[in-house]
Amino acid sequence: MNNYNYFAVDIGNSWYKVLASDHGELREYQMPNAIALYDDEFYEKPYDEEDIDLEENLIVEIKSPAITNKREIFYAGKAAAKQRNVSLTASNNQKADEDRTYILLFAAAAYHASIINPNDIELTYCIDQLAVSLPTTQYKERKELLKQRLIGNHTITLHKVPGILEPKELIVKLEIKDVIVGAEGACAYLGLIRDVDTLTIKDHNLVKDSKKGIIIGDLGGDSVDFVGIKNSKPVASVEGDHFGINLFLDTIIKKVSKNELYTFDSRSELEEKLFAGQSEWYVEPFAGVRKDISKYVIPQLRIMAIKYLEHFDRARSSSSEIKGASRYIAVGGAAKLAQNQIQEAAVRWADKGRPIELTFPENLEKLNVFGLMILAKMNQLKKQHENTEELISIEG
């Protein structure tokens, strides 16, 4: 199993979470879901290159059958989030149809390849098994399209790479041999019950509880994905909805800009501040002036928490297959950020006679990408097993 390269990407509307396993060595990354058109005229040459991190200066040009617009150069991830023309996700976006999905995923793969090959300026990187995710609302219709556009050969040029000689370009020839697509939320279940290294079952109690039924609510940037699990398998009658934290982040950004005269570069800048904890919920619109923004943050998180519970209640009421589910589990970065507000809202719901006792597992924001890595490894094992059976059949 460790003889292969695996790449798992949780294609979030706020963040791309990435796990890469090269011959057993695991690395973890994340980048904002942000791109911006690059214009050489406005590029500010760094004063001291040694202080520039490639991850924060990721400028990519991609030649790939997956990309419609092959002539543009883009800032990607953290580099894009700092630009005035940054493009963030729109609500109800269709991930498999949009160039930004492939630009960011290939940029992440090229960045990883450059990290593990620090001395090369032209290199090849092969992913034996890639696992990616789609929201439950897009999974059935779009999984095959996403898979077919990712499989194959792609060339990624990283421009203005700090620390290398002119023309400061690093070229990555990327080969993706196989792709498996998972549904957001369902992958989190895999991440909950199995060990990402050995693939063995690590939570037998949860597997046992799945006989009665489990509902997982994955709260993300622009979607909330509900997955019903019965006997360790997803049931068909539970679906997600177009709802997530980005709407509330945008409201906070507008209120802070209007009332405190401070403008966030992007949602990711605000999210990083919020994840750091309430002691960091300050902005500095002017040197020496510090403004508390918790009065804008907390009301928005409370509204989101109430609506999340409303969606959860609808999901558990809509399915006869998992009626009387034994466990309700909250996952996703937005659920982690608003855990206190969700728990407060759940107490009020219990007082009103509609209790929703949610579980908040460890690493709830990373469970989808853990599940995707498990899915990638399991698919590779399945192919090896099939090949062995074919060989035995031929030799016999």
Side-chain angles (χ1 to χ4, degrees):
M1 192 166 64
N2 286 338
N3 293 328
Y4 298 94
N5 290 346
Y6 303 98
F7 209 69
V9 185
D10 179 4
I11 306 174
N13 285 317
S14 293
W15 292 86
Y16 275 40
K17 298 184 179 73
V18 179
L19 278 182
S21 174
D22 301 281
H23 301 287
E25 185 177 349
L26 196 67
R27 291 175 185 262
E28 183 177 345
Y29 311 96
Q30 67 174 21
M31 63 163 59
N33 187 337
I35 60 172
L37 269 176
Y38 171 78
D39 189 332
D40 194 50
E41 185 180 347
F42 297 105
Y43 180 73
E44 294 183 14
K45 191 173 181 179
Y47 180 74
D48 188 347
E49 269 201 356
E50 291 183 356
D51 294 333
I52 301 298
D53 189 339
L54 174 60
E55 186 183 5
E56 297 178 0
N57 194 60
L58 212 53
I59 302 169
V60 298
E61 182 179 4
I62 293 169
K63 303 299 181 191
S64 163
I67 303 293
T68 306
N69 189 346
K70 297 179 175 62
R71 291 181 293 182
E72 299 289 0
I73 300 175
F74 294 92
Y75 289 100
K78 289 185 177 179
K82 298 176 181 176
Q83 308 304 316
R84 290 183 180 276
N85 63 338
V86 59
S87 166
L88 304 172
T89 59
S91 61
N92 200 19
N93 63 84
Q94 299 296 310
K95 293 178 180 178
D97 298 335
E98 298 179 5
D99 276 1
R100 67 180 300 127
T101 300
Y102 306 95
I103 292 167
L104 284 163
L105 196 151
F106 295 151
Y111 173 68
H112 170 69
S114 73
I115 294 298
I116 61 174
N117 298 280
N119 299 318
D120 296 333
I121 59 171
E122 184 164 342
L123 54 95
T124 59
Y125 179 62
C126 175
I127 297 173
D128 295 289
Q129 184 66 62
L130 168 66
V132 292
S133 58
L134 282 175
T136 53
T137 51
Q138 300 173 28
Y139 175 74
K140 291 177 186 174
E141 301 292 331
R142 291 288 187 270
K143 65 177 181 179
E144 196 57 33
L145 173 65
L146 181 62
K147 178 178 177 178
Q148 292 308 321
R149 289 177 74 172
L150 288 169
I151 288 176
N153 295 287
H154 319 276
T155 301
I156 302 103
T157 303
L158 305 182
H159 292 279
K160 308 289 184 187
V161 178
I164 67 171
L165 300 175
E166 294 289 347
K168 307 189 74 60
E169 289 181 358
L170 193 156
I171 297 171
V172 180
K173 293 182 177 177
L174 174 68
E175 180 186 8
I176 300 175
K177 288 187 174 179
D178 194 19
V179 175
I180 186 165
V181 182
E184 293 169 7
C187 293
Y189 179 70
L190 272 181
L192 279 165
I193 64 167
R194 288 188 183 273
D195 183 273
V196 73
D197 292 320
T198 65
L199 304 185
T200 54
I201 298 291
K202 64 178 183 181
D203 191 338
H204 292 275
N205 288 332
L206 190 58
V207 174
K208 185 178 177 183
D209 287 347
S210 79
K211 292 179 180 177
K212 292 183 179 178
I214 294 169
I215 301 179
I216 296 173
D218 180 9
L219 184 57
D222 287 316
S223 68
V224 56
D225 293 285
F226 291 102
V227 176
I229 304 290
K230 190 74 177 282
N231 294 318
S232 287
K233 293 181 180 177
V235 299
S237 56
V238 181
E239 281 203 352
D241 214 332
H242 301 296
F243 170 78
I245 195 172
N246 285 346
L247 173 68
F248 302 94
L249 294 177
D250 290 344
T251 302
I252 296 168
I253 289 170
K254 285 179 184 176
K255 287 181 179 290
V256 171
S257 176
K258 179 181 177 182
N259 296 310
E260 307 299 347
L261 305 179
Y262 180 88
T263 303
F264 287 95
D265 286 336
S266 65
R267 293 169 186 153
S268 59
E269 183 193 352
L270 172 58
E271 269 192 295
E272 284 187 298
K273 187 177 285 293
L274 299 186
F275 272 115
Q278 194 165 351
S279 62
E280 300 297 321
W281 293 1
Y282 291 87
V283 294
E284 293 186 20
F286 310 104
V289 177
R290 201 161 180 251
K291 296 283 189 177
D292 182 359
I293 62 168
S294 58
K295 59 186 174 185
Y296 310 111
V297 174
I298 293 173
Q300 292 302 312
L301 294 184
R302 283 176 176 159
I303 295 170
M304 184 180 73
I306 292 168
K307 291 188 177 295
Y308 176 56
L309 290 182
E310 288 174 351
H311 281 287
F312 225 119
D313 192 41
R314 178 190 56 77
R316 70 175 176 178
S317 303
S318 66
S319 173
S320 59
E321 294 174 89
I322 49 170
K323 194 170 184 178
S326 61
R327 297 270 289 271
Y328 303 132
I329 302 173
V331 304
K336 181 176 183 177
L337 195 56
Q339 180 172 341
N340 291 339
Q341 288 74 23
I342 293 168
Q343 288 172 322
E344 288 171 7
V347 170
R348 292 194 293 275
W349 274 56
D351 292 341
K352 294 176 182 177
R354 295 185 69 83
I356 298 181
E357 295 181 9
L358 288 172
T359 301
F360 294 82
E362 187 180 0
N363 289 321
L364 69 165
E365 78 280 16
K366 299 178 181 177
L367 288 172
N368 270 313
V369 75
F370 286 159
L372 284 165
M373 178 55 74
I374 292 165
L375 195 63
K377 290 182 175 180
M378 290 176 73
N379 200 50
Q380 186 68 40
L381 281 176
K382 181 183 173 185
K383 286 189 297 186
Q384 287 175 244
H385 180 67
E386 288 171 351
N387 289 340
T388 304
E389 284 188 338
E390 285 177 9
L391 189 60
I392 292 170
S393 174
I394 292 168
E395 288 180 340

